Amino acid sequence: MFKRFRRLRINETLRNLVQETVLTPDDFIYPLFVREGQNIKTEVASMPGVYQMSIDEILKECEYLVSINLKSIILFGIPDTKDSVGSECLCEESIIARTIKAIKAKFPQMFIVTDLCFCEYTDHGHCGILDPKTGSVDNDKTLEISAQQVLVHARAGVDMIAPSGMMDGIITTLRNTLDENGFRNLPIMAYSTKFASGYYGPFRDVAESTPSFGDRRTYQMNPANRLEAIEESLEDEKEGADILMVKPALAFLDIVRDIRNQTNLPLCVYNVSGEYAMLKHAGAHGLIDYERVMMETMIAFKRAGANIIISYHAKEVCKILRNN
């Protein structure tokens, strides 16, 4: 006798009863990009539906997010002034610090994650202090100013830190700094396996963080390396990370599963700008059923082993979940 798999597919209610992987609004973190000024809401041409916003517009956006039960955001800052070391983000009144305080004052229930890096704040677009000899980022000097930046975020009232610069030892540095300054309970979500990927292209438009020379392959991971990817995440776990991440997501689901099989920590994927833009533009040209493909992609992330999804699709997904 052969197995009749179709018995469990004939009825829609039964299909839902036996569905193994489900999505909820609690799975998602939505990226927001804040810049100086007022009444600013500028759509990014390469990423339809994604905006650079001033703080007042960010607050309006948060009001909408709360209405669709989307409770978590990750903040990126776009300063007016940039220099060689990203001084703006080391200031207690940085654009990120002021945004955290404004959101918490109006929406205390909103869970705020902050991206901790320097690429948006430096005039050269790299993720830290440059070493003039190598032309790349000086790892240990960047760790020193990362410790300064994390305290700015912590004192402003952030709920979780997400360091994206891929400096070796960053989790140890941040964990020690937070613990020594009274922030022992502030969690760290490590960009633990972050690849030097072509999928980041549109993000450089919205965050205005394109390197002025070279690329980031000396500190971000080679997409061809599987074992090193696993090692990166396991090392961050040893250093005290509370949540691990794989970025990008779609082309690296094998890595997500590999890491899921080797750790019990919560695992996040970052569904990055290029992945988002491909679906958006394909949908706009009638090449795909956009909503169906979007939801299928989100399911794939969770099926691969992710607990958390950072995605520019998050608003649309949560709206669909609310209406179903």
Side-chain angles (χ1 to χ4, degrees):
M1 181 179 292
F2 56 85
K3 174 75 174 180
R4 292 190 180 272
F5 291 97
R6 293 184 60 194
R7 287 180 187 143
L8 300 182
R9 301 173 189 157
I10 284 295
N11 180 278
E12 182 179 3
T13 300
L14 182 54
R15 288 197 300 272
N16 292 337
L17 282 171
V18 299
Q19 181 168 314
E20 299 172 26
T21 306
V22 296
L23 294 170
T24 77
D26 291 329
D27 298 328
F28 290 92
I29 299 174
Y30 185 60
L32 290 175
F33 299 87
V34 61
R35 67 174 316 133
E36 299 286 1
Q38 286 188 320
N39 302 315
I40 295 173
K41 188 174 182 179
T42 306
E43 188 171 24
V44 180
S46 58
M47 299 176 68
V50 175
Y51 300 85
Q52 295 179 343
M53 289 180 276
S54 51
I55 293 177
D56 56 317
E57 293 293 334
I58 289 280
L59 294 177
K60 294 176 186 177
E61 187 75 355
C62 286
E63 184 174 13
Y64 175 71
L65 297 179
V66 170
S67 75
I68 59 171
N69 207 28
L70 184 44
K71 306 170 186 175
S72 303
I73 59 173
I74 181 167
L75 283 178
F76 297 84
I78 306 165
D80 280 348
T81 303
K82 303 187 180 192
D83 61 24
S84 63
V85 297
S87 300
E88 197 278 344
C89 68
L90 304 177
C91 170
E92 294 291 343
E93 290 300 313
S94 68
I95 183 67
I96 284 289
R98 284 181 281 123
T99 305
I100 295 167
K101 293 172 186 176
I103 294 171
K104 283 296 183 182
K106 193 167 183 180
F107 304 101
Q109 74 275 35
M110 182 65 74
F111 188 84
I112 303 175
V113 186
T114 46
D115 175 78
L116 189 149
C117 194
F118 291 91
C119 60
E120 302 104 312
Y121 304 94
T122 55
D123 53 15
H124 48 73
H126 281 280
C127 297
I129 296 174
L130 292 180
D131 182 338
K133 293 182 180 179
T134 65
S136 182
V137 175
D138 186 309
N139 193 91
D140 293 2
K141 287 183 179 179
T142 301
L143 292 181
E144 293 176 14
I145 58 173
S146 297
Q148 297 176 46
Q149 188 182 167
V150 77
L151 291 178
V152 170
H153 294 201
R155 289 167 182 152
V158 73
D159 295 298
M160 185 158 68
I161 302 293
S164 63
M166 285 299 287
M167 297 300 109
D168 294 333
I170 186 67
I171 302 303
T172 294
T173 296
L174 299 184
R175 187 72 271 158
N176 289 342
T177 300
L178 291 170
D179 290 357
E180 291 165 5
N181 286 274
F183 297 103
R184 291 181 179 84
N185 293 322
L186 188 58
I188 298 173
M189 178 168 63
Y191 281 68
S192 49
T193 301
K194 181 179 179 182
F195 293 93
S197 172
Y199 282 98
Y200 301 145
F203 177 87
R204 310 278 164 77
D205 297 334
V206 66
E208 299 181 5
S209 60
T210 303
S212 60
F213 66 92
D215 53 42
R216 295 178 178 144
R217 283 182 289 184
T218 61
Y219 45 100
Q220 294 178 355
M221 270 210 55
N222 184 341
N225 289 3
R226 184 185 202 123
L227 299 180
E228 183 187 5
I230 299 169
E231 281 295 302
E232 283 273 14
S233 280
L234 295 182
E235 178 61 27
D236 279 359
E237 179 174 4
K238 291 176 187 175
E239 291 184 22
D242 300 285
I243 299 173
L244 303 178
M245 185 196 298
V246 176
K247 179 182 180 183
L250 195 56
F252 299 94
L253 293 181
D254 58 324
I255 305 300
V256 175
R257 174 49 57 182
D258 284 340
I259 295 170
R260 174 75 289 154
N261 288 342
Q262 298 206 38
T263 180
N264 292 324
L265 287 186
L267 183 57
C268 177
V269 292
Y270 199 136
N271 176 211
V272 300
S273 59
E275 298 166 348
Y276 171 84
M278 287 193 301
L279 266 62
K280 270 290 182 184
H281 290 287
H285 286 83
L287 302 176
I288 58 171
D289 179 335
Y290 171 72
E291 288 192 356
R292 183 176 179 181
V293 172
M294 175 181 69
M295 298 301 281
E296 190 174 323
T297 301
M298 299 303 120
I299 284 286
F301 298 148
K302 286 203 70 179
R303 191 183 65 242
N307 307 98
I308 301 166
I309 302 167
I310 301 174
S311 179
Y312 306 98
H313 296 290
K315 281 197 304 183
E316 296 167 289
V317 172
C318 288
K319 188 176 178 181
I320 290 171
L321 294 174
R322 182 186 64 174
N323 294 334
N324 285 348

